[in-house]
Amino acid sequence: MPKKNRVFIEDECGKRARAFIIPNIGLFCFRYPFFIKGLNIKFKGRNSTVTIGIPAARFSKSKFVLRNNSSIKIASSNDIIKKLKISMTDNQKCSIGKNFFTWDTEIVFSIGDGLEVNIGEDGMFSRNILIRPSDGHALYDVNSGEILNHGKSINIGKHVWLAGDNAIFKGADIEDNCTIGKGSIVTKPCNTPNSVYAGVPAKIIKTNVNWRREEPDKKNNVDKKIDIVYLWCDLSDEKFKKKKEECAKNHNVEYNADNDCRYKDNGELKYSLRSLEKYAPWVNNIFIVTDEQVPKWLNLAHPKIKIIDHKDIMPPCALPNFNSTAILHHIVNIEGLSEYFLYSDDDTLFNLSVEPDFFFKEDKPVCRFIKPYKKNDFSQYTNMLRNGDKLLEKKFGPKIPVGLKPHHNIDAYRKSIILKCREEFKEEIEASSIFPFRRTGDIERAIYQKYSCLIGCGIFKRTDKTNIFKGFKKDSLELFFNSRKKEQKLKKFKPELFCINDTENTSDSDRIKTKDFLEAMYPDKSGFEK
C-alpha cells in the first residue's frame, strides 16, 4: 500500500494547496510561490498530514516526525518558531493557534491512540519547554497488572505564557491568559483564567492578571496611558432629531451634508467596544462624545467609560453641532484626556489583537495613509483634505504625506502635537470648528497626522500596499454595509482594524445583514454593557 502523506499550505480563508519538501531548502508551494525554510519534516508511516498557515512563522531548527494517521497543524504567525520539535506515533493530533512564539519547545507523543495537544492562539513559550501527553514507559499494578499511567490529551488556552524550563504533562488543561512560572511542572488543570501558576506541581499564586509581550521596563508604550475617543449619536432619539432639523432650517446646509446615514445608530459602537475589550484591553479611558445622549445598553458604572457632552468641550457659538469634522477639532479639550490617545468612529473595529506599539512607536504616533486623492476630485470630503493640505504645503512644501488620503480607521494622536498644529493654523482651524454641518470649506482631521509626520513627530505608513509573500496583509480595511463577502475579505487581508461604512445607498436589508455579521463576529457581551 503506497504512502499517502501530505504537506499543505493553508490561507486564512481555509483554502489549502499542496506543498512539497525540497531537501536542504524548505517547503515550496506552486500556488504561493515562496519557500518556508527552517523546518524539517519526516514521515515514517502512512496517511499523515502537516498543515502550515500563511503568513507563515519564521521557522528555525524545527523538526516534525510523524508515523501513521497523525496530523500537525500550525496556524499563521508573524513571529518566530525556533527549535520546535514534535514527535508523534499513530493516530494523534497536534494543533497550534495563530501567532505562536517559542525559542525551544519539544512536544513528545508516546503510544496512545487519540491523544491530542491543542495550543490556542497567541501563545508565548520560552526556552526548554517539554510537553508530554503520555509517558514513555508503562506503570502498572503488581497485583492486577492494570496499567496506571495511560496517556491523556493536553489543552493549552489562548494567550498563555510558559516561562523557561516548564514541563507540561498528561491531563494538563491551562485556561486562557494564564502564566506558568519558570521551572514549574503542570500535572493538573490550571482552570482559573487570568492567573499565574508556579511550583512543583504548579499551583495558583495570583489571580486577575494578564500579560503582554513587551519587557516590563522597556520604555515603549508599556507605561503610557492611551485613551480612546468615540463620537456617537442616535437619530432615532426624537429630541435629537428635532434639534437637528431645527438647526438645519437656520443654516445653509450643503448637499448631502445632512444625510440621515451620518446620524443613524446601527449598534456599531456596541460591537466596536466588544472588539476593543477582546483585542486591545490595555486601552485606558474610553471617552464617548455625545449631544445629551447615552446608549441605552451602556454600563455607565464601568470605570473606563466617560460620557462627554458637546457643551463640555465646544464654545457656545458652535452649539448645537452635527458636524463631526468640527467636533473633532475640540476633542483635545476633554478634561483628563491623556497625552497619547486614539480616535475611533463608532463604525471602526478591532479585528486582531494589537499592542500599543501598533499605534505608537516610542513617543511617535503611527500615521496611516492610503493612495493620493485625484486632482479632479472635488467631492466635499476631498476638498476638506485639500484645504488642510494647502496650509501644510505652504509651510513645508509638497512633501509626503501631503496629497494622500488617510486610512478610514482608528488613528493615533498626541494631544500636544494637535495643540501645536492648532496654534500654527489658528485662524483657519477655528473657522472650521464651529459650523454645525459639514461643508466644503472645512479642514479634515488628517491635518494633525500629516503635521505630525512633517515635523518629525509622527511615523508615516502606507496601509494600502499588500505583499503576496505575507498573504496579502493589510493594517486596515474599509468595508461597507452593502459590501459582499465581508468575512472572506477580512480573512484574505487579515487587517488589525476594519471599518463598516454606512452610506446614503444603504438599505434596511443591508443594515440587518450587517448587524447579523457583527453579532457573529463579536457574540460575547462586553463589560461595557449592562
Side-chain angles (χ1 to χ4, degrees), residues 305-483:
I305 295 292
K306 319 287 181 186
I307 296 293
I308 305 298
D309 196 86
H310 291 178
K311 64 178 178 292
D312 297 330
I313 59 174
M314 302 181 75
C317 65
L319 298 173
N321 204 290
F322 308 91
N323 179 358
S324 62
T325 303
I327 298 166
L328 285 169
H329 288 302
H330 295 282
I331 62 176
V332 288
N333 299 327
I334 293 174
E335 185 177 354
L337 181 66
S338 63
E339 166 69 7
Y340 303 88
F341 73 93
L342 310 176
Y343 171 72
S344 175
D345 290 323
D346 62 357
D347 58 1
T348 50
L349 304 97
F350 294 89
N351 182 53
L352 298 173
S353 292
V354 295
E355 297 296 341
D357 61 4
F358 181 81
F359 295 105
F360 293 95
K361 299 291 187 182
E362 296 183 354
D363 291 332
K364 297 180 179 180
V366 178
C367 305
R368 293 178 164 86
F369 300 91
I370 56 174
K371 61 187 179 182
Y373 50 78
K374 296 178 181 178
K375 293 182 179 179
N376 62 351
D377 181 357
F378 294 102
S379 64
Q380 185 186 67
Y381 175 69
T382 302
N383 276 328
M384 291 193 294
L385 290 175
R386 189 178 282 113
N387 295 335
D389 284 350
K390 287 179 180 178
L391 297 176
L392 295 172
E393 188 170 354
K394 185 176 180 180
K395 180 173 179 62
F396 299 101
K399 298 179 181 179
I400 291 176
V402 171
L404 294 180
K405 291 182 178 181
H407 80 151
H408 191 153
N409 228 296
I410 301 170
D411 286 323
Y413 298 93
R414 284 191 60 178
K415 186 163 66 173
S416 60
I417 298 174
I418 292 179
L419 292 172
K420 185 175 181 180
C421 181
R422 284 173 59 94
E423 188 62 30
E424 189 86 51
F425 307 109
K426 185 175 181 180
E427 184 177 338
E428 293 87 352
I429 290 178
E430 284 186 355
S432 180
S433 65
I434 57 174
F435 196 76
F437 296 96
R438 287 166 63 118
R439 57 181 180 172
T440 303
D442 286 343
I443 296 172
E444 217 274 338
R445 75 175 192 271
I447 190 174
Y448 298 125
Q449 286 208 318
K450 293 179 179 181
Y451 181 81
S452 298
C453 294
L454 292 168
I455 65 173
C457 293
I459 297 174
F460 169 79
K461 188 170 185 181
R462 283 285 294 268
T463 69
D464 57 333
K465 301 294 185 181
T466 60
N467 186 331
I468 189 171
F469 298 106
K470 292 185 177 180
F472 305 98
K473 182 78 179 80
K474 282 188 175 185
D475 282 5
S476 64
L477 184 67
E478 185 175 10
L479 301 172
F480 294 87
F481 271 60
N482 56 2
S483 295

Side-chain angles (χ1 to χ4, degrees), residues 109-300:
F109 288 79
S110 296
I111 292 173
D113 284 354
L115 291 179
E116 297 185 14
V117 171
N118 299 303
I119 299 170
E121 64 184 43
D122 201 32
M124 184 174 74
F125 293 7
S126 186
R127 293 175 172 84
N128 195 26
I129 305 297
L130 174 63
I131 299 175
R132 293 201 65 150
S134 54
D135 298 330
H137 304 281
L139 183 69
Y140 64 93
D141 185 286
V142 294
N143 294 317
S144 65
E146 180 186 358
I147 298 297
L148 303 175
N149 61 335
H150 292 289
K152 194 172 182 181
S153 296
I154 291 174
N155 293 294
I156 299 174
K158 298 178 182 178
H159 194 64
V160 170
W161 173 15
L162 301 185
D165 305 312
N166 277 323
I168 314 298
F169 289 131
K170 59 189 178 193
D173 192 343
I174 303 174
E175 281 285 350
D176 297 348
N177 304 315
C178 281
T179 299
I180 308 299
K182 182 177 173 64
S184 298
I185 296 178
V186 181
T187 59
K188 295 181 180 180
C190 300
N191 49 19
T192 303
N194 296 93
S195 298
V196 177
Y197 289 80
V200 182
K203 296 180 180 179
I204 193 166
I205 61 172
K206 193 171 183 62
T207 59
N208 297 317
V209 294
N210 208 335
W211 59 273
R212 291 200 291 262
R213 297 197 181 205
E214 297 99 332
E215 297 172 14
D217 294 326
K218 185 177 180 182
K219 295 181 179 179
N220 183 17
N221 308 316
V222 179
D223 57 349
K224 290 182 176 66
K225 290 183 177 180
I226 302 175
D227 294 337
I228 191 167
V229 178
Y230 288 92
L231 300 193
W232 179 83
C233 65
D234 181 7
L235 189 63
S236 67
D237 178 352
E238 289 298 326
K239 181 180 178 181
F240 175 86
K241 184 178 181 180
K242 184 176 180 180
K243 185 193 296 187
K244 182 180 77 70
E245 291 172 349
E246 288 296 324
C247 186
K249 291 178 183 179
N250 299 323
H251 292 84
N252 183 20
V253 181
E254 293 183 9
Y255 172 74
N256 208 29
D258 191 26
N259 193 289
D260 284 354
C261 70
R262 303 191 187 283
Y263 310 101
K264 281 188 175 181
D265 174 34
N266 301 296
E268 303 101 314
L269 178 61
K270 178 170 67 175
Y271 296 106
S272 184
L273 290 177
R274 287 184 182 183
S275 76
L276 183 150
E277 183 178 72
K278 182 176 182 180
Y279 294 125
W282 43 263
V283 165
N284 186 39
N285 289 318
I286 300 169
F287 294 100
I288 301 174
V289 179
T290 75
D291 180 9
E292 298 181 329
Q293 293 182 301
V294 176
K296 294 178 181 178
W297 49 265
L298 190 65
N299 177 15
L300 295 177

Side-chain angles (χ1 to χ4, degrees), residues 20-85:
F20 299 90
I21 302 171
I22 301 179
N24 303 318
I25 296 179
L27 302 182
F28 178 78
C29 177
F30 288 103
R31 179 182 292 178
Y32 306 102
F34 59 89
F35 288 99
I36 297 177
K37 301 179 180 180
L39 177 57
N40 181 8
I41 300 174
K42 290 188 176 181
F43 294 104
K44 295 187 175 181
R46 297 183 177 90
N47 303 320
S48 290
T49 61
V50 173
T51 304
I52 305 296
I54 55 171
R58 289 168 286 163
F59 287 95
S60 174
K61 299 180 181 179
S62 296
K63 183 177 181 179
F64 303 162
V65 179
L66 302 89
R67 294 191 182 275
N68 300 297
N69 305 308
S70 293
S71 67
I72 296 173
K73 184 173 183 179
I74 299 179
S76 61
S77 177
N78 294 311
D79 224 319
I80 297 170
I81 296 180
K82 184 177 182 181
K83 294 184 180 179
L84 174 62
K85 298 178 182 179

